Amino acid sequence: MVRKHSIPMDKLYATEQREGGTPALLDDVPGYQRNDLAVFSEEEWQQQRDSLILESWLAKAREAPH
């Protein structure tokens, strides 16, 4: 499926053992590209990225007083 529909996938997750995704019931189900699933436009993502990624949240949590 990944190759047939040119779906980008990290090679470490592209094996059944690594659970590269939920298997489709049929072999002709089209895949979605990353941009098809994006909530933000590329411009919006670049503007808000630092406030949305896990690493930023973790850094703020470490800085917060306990």
Side-chain angles (χ1 to χ4, degrees):
M1 287 297 297
V2 172
R3 284 189 203 103
K4 180 178 179 181
H5 295 288
S6 301
I7 301 168
M9 180 176 286
D10 187 302
K11 290 181 183 182
L12 292 176
Y13 294 99
T15 65
E16 188 174 339
Q17 295 80 12
R18 294 293 302 233
E19 299 183 29
T22 305
L25 297 175
L26 303 170
D27 64 358
D28 61 346
V29 177
Y32 292 100
Q33 300 297 316
R34 181 172 293 177
N35 288 341
D36 295 333
L37 303 173
V39 174
F40 301 107
S41 69
E42 182 62 26
E43 182 180 342
E44 291 170 321
W45 168 248
Q46 292 302 328
Q47 290 172 351
Q48 299 184 45
R49 182 180 186 276
D50 288 338
S51 66
L52 298 173
I53 61 173
L54 178 62
E55 290 82 356
S56 295
W57 290 29
L58 293 174
K60 287 184 182 190
R62 285 187 207 101
E63 294 170 2
H66 293 21

